[in-house]
Amino acid sequence: MTTSVTIDSVTKRFGDTTAVDAVSFDIAKGEFFTLLGSSGCGKTTLLRMIAGFMRQTSGHIRFGGKIIDHVPPHQRNTGMVFQNYAIFPHLTVFDNIAYGLRARRRGKAQIEREVRRMLDLVRLGHLAHRRPRELSGGQQQRVVLARAMVIQPDVLLMDEPLSNLDTEMRMHLRSEIRSLQRQVGVTTIYVTHDQEEALLMSDRIAVMSRGRVEQLDVPHRIYSEPQTLFVAGFIGENNLLPGTVLRREADGGAIIELAGGGRLRGASTTTGDGRACIVSIRPQDIDIADASNGTEPSLAGTVGDIQFLGGAVKLMVDIGADKPLTVALPGRRDMAMPTLGSPLRLRVPAHAVRTFQPEAGA
C-alpha cells in the first residue's frame, strides 16, 4: 500500500548552518520523485529526515496526511537503498531479501512466496543461493532493491544508489529500477547529483541549491523552461551570455542585445528596459539561418571550432562576445559541414531565449 508524502516548511539547522531551508512540497502516491543537486545542497539531509534518522529543526513531515515527526525510523515502513549497498555478506541472495520479512515475523510460506516474487521481478531467481561475493555490482544492487521492496513499504527511499557502478551498468540499472518501480507502484524518493539520471527516471524533479528548492517540475520543463539562473546553468549544456534588454513588447517578449552587438527576440524577461541580463539558450535550439531569407532575424558569427560527435555536430561560433556560442546540430548524413573560419548566420527562435537577472556580485 503506497502513500503520499508531504514536506511542510521543513528546516534543518546545524548550529549556525542551515542545511535545509523551509522546504515544502507534496509527493503523490506511486510517484517517482527525485531530489537533485550537487554535494552539500541539502538533498541527503532531507532524505534522512524523511527516513527518521534525524529530526528536523522545524516544520512537519506527513505520510498519507499523518504527521510522523516523532515516529521512529523502524515504524515508518520505509524501504531504504543506500549508496554502499549494506548487503549481508554471510547470507545468500534469498536470505538477504527475506531479512526484512523475517524481522517482521512473517510466516514461512509467505516469506517463500514474497521472496520468490521479488527474485522473479529482479531476474535473480537462478542466483537465489549465491553469496554476495559471487555477484556482480549490478546484481548486488538488484538484491538490495528487492530487499527494500519485498516488505511492501509505504515509501521507498534511495540515496545515490548507482554512484558506485560503472557507466554501462549505471545506464542499464536506471531503466531497470524505473521499470520495477512502475510495476510495484511504490512511492519513491530518489536522491542523486546526476542530472541525466534524474531526467531519465523521474516523474518530477526538485532541483536543490543551498538548502532550498530552486525549481520543482516535470523533467522536460525543468530542462526547457528553467525558472532560475542556477537551474539554467545546472541542468544540461547551456549558453549563458551577458546581454541588455533594449525594450519589452506588448506580447511579453523583449528585444535583447548580446555582448558583441547581436540582437535576439526573447520569450520573456524579468528585467526592465536598459537593464543588464543573462541570456540562456540551449545549443540544440540554435540552427543555421536560411541565407536566402534576408528578413529572418539572425546572429552573425564565425566558426571557431567544429566537434564531430557522430549523431551530432557541435560548433563553437564567435559572435563577438567574451565566449563563443555553442551550437548543436543533428549529424545528418547529407548535412553541409561548415568549415573553420567560415562566416555563419544563426537562427534562434524567441521561445528558446530566456533571460535572468545577473546574480549579485557577478
Side-chain angles (χ1 to χ4, degrees):
M1 180 66 180
T2 59
T3 189
S4 60
V5 178
T6 298
I7 308 301
D8 182 6
S9 300
V10 168
T11 294
K12 180 63 179 179
R13 297 188 185 91
F14 297 98
D16 294 332
T17 301
T18 301
V20 176
D21 190 0
V23 168
S24 295
F25 53 75
D26 294 314
I27 302 172
K29 292 182 180 181
E31 186 173 17
F32 196 112
F33 187 95
T34 296
L35 299 171
L36 172 65
S38 54
S39 178
C41 72
K43 59 188 186 300
T44 295
T45 299
L46 182 54
L47 191 78
R48 290 178 64 82
M49 289 189 287
I50 295 170
F53 297 148
M54 62 173 63
R55 278 289 308 278
Q56 62 268 32
T57 306
S58 60
H60 299 291
I61 298 171
R62 295 180 176 87
F63 283 5
K66 179 183 177 182
I67 292 176
I68 60 163
D69 298 343
H70 300 285
V71 177
H74 67 278
Q75 293 180 8
R76 295 193 181 194
N77 196 31
T78 57
M80 288 291 304
V81 179
F82 295 100
Q83 180 177 337
N84 60 352
Y85 298 169
I87 198 168
F88 300 120
H90 62 290
L91 298 181
T92 64
V93 168
F94 185 100
D95 289 335
N96 262 282
I97 297 173
Y99 182 85
L101 294 174
R102 287 175 177 150
R104 287 162 171 76
R105 300 188 178 184
R106 304 290 165 79
K108 185 176 181 180
Q110 183 183 4
I111 291 172
E112 179 75 22
R113 182 175 64 253
E114 294 299 327
V115 172
R116 290 295 173 188
R117 181 178 71 89
M118 289 308 306
L119 283 167
D120 288 343
L121 282 173
V122 298
R123 295 179 291 108
L124 291 176
H126 62 297
L127 301 176
H129 299 294
R130 294 273 184 95
R131 304 282 178 180
R133 65 178 178 274
E134 301 173 285
L135 305 178
S136 69
Q139 289 168 340
Q140 290 182 31
Q141 186 58 279
R142 298 212 301 267
V143 172
V144 175
L145 188 61
R147 186 179 64 190
M149 286 188 168
V150 76
I151 62 171
Q152 298 183 19
D154 290 328
V155 182
L156 179 65
L157 306 175
M158 307 183 77
D159 187 10
E160 302 269 11
L162 305 182
S163 59
N164 288 335
L165 301 174
D166 61 54
T167 301
E168 184 177 351
M169 182 59 68
R170 208 160 55 234
M171 291 177 67
H172 175 72
L173 279 177
R174 286 171 184 169
S175 57
E176 195 163 297
I177 288 173
R178 189 61 173 110
S179 175
L180 185 60
Q181 188 267 345
R182 283 181 175 137
Q183 290 181 64
V184 176
V186 62
T187 305
T188 300
I189 305 175
Y190 191 95
V191 162
T192 185
H193 67 276
D194 188 322
Q195 54 181 272
E196 183 178 280
E197 200 166 279
L199 292 170
L200 282 169
M201 299 175 70
S202 311
D203 290 318
R204 286 190 302 155
I205 301 169
V207 182
M208 294 190 67
S209 174
R210 294 173 292 186
R212 297 181 179 180
V213 174
E214 291 271 337
Q215 185 171 347
L216 196 166
D217 214 327
V218 295
H220 74 270
R221 280 202 289 267
I222 289 278
Y223 183 84
S224 61
E225 301 174 22
Q227 299 301 306
T228 69
L229 183 57
F230 173 84
V231 175
F234 183 71
I235 301 293
E237 188 174 9
N238 214 340
N239 292 291
L240 298 175
L241 304 169
T244 302
V245 178
L246 297 181
R247 67 178 184 275
R248 286 179 289 181
E249 300 182 322
D251 62 0
I255 303 300
I256 304 144
E257 184 173 79
L258 300 178
R263 292 188 179 186
L264 293 171
R265 189 175 189 280
S268 62
T269 182
T270 56
T271 51
D273 294 359
R275 298 287 295 277
C277 67
I278 300 296
V279 179
S280 161
I281 312 168
R282 296 285 183 191
Q284 70 274 16
D285 288 332
I286 307 170
D287 206 349
I288 297 175
D290 184 355
S292 65
N293 186 355
T295 63
E296 182 180 52
S298 58
L299 290 176
T302 304
V303 179
D305 190 23
I306 301 172
Q307 300 173 5
F308 180 70
L309 304 172
V313 177
K314 279 190 180 180
L315 307 178
M316 304 298 160
V317 181
D318 180 8
I319 60 170
D322 291 340
K323 57 183 179 180
L325 190 71
T326 302
V327 180
L329 304 173
R332 296 184 294 267
R333 185 186 298 273
D334 58 347
M335 75 178 296
M337 186 72 72
T339 57
L340 285 175
S342 63
L344 208 60
R345 294 204 72 86
L346 301 172
R347 183 177 64 84
V348 186
H351 66 77
V353 179
R354 302 186 72 81
T355 61
F356 301 97
Q357 296 274 15
E359 291 183 344

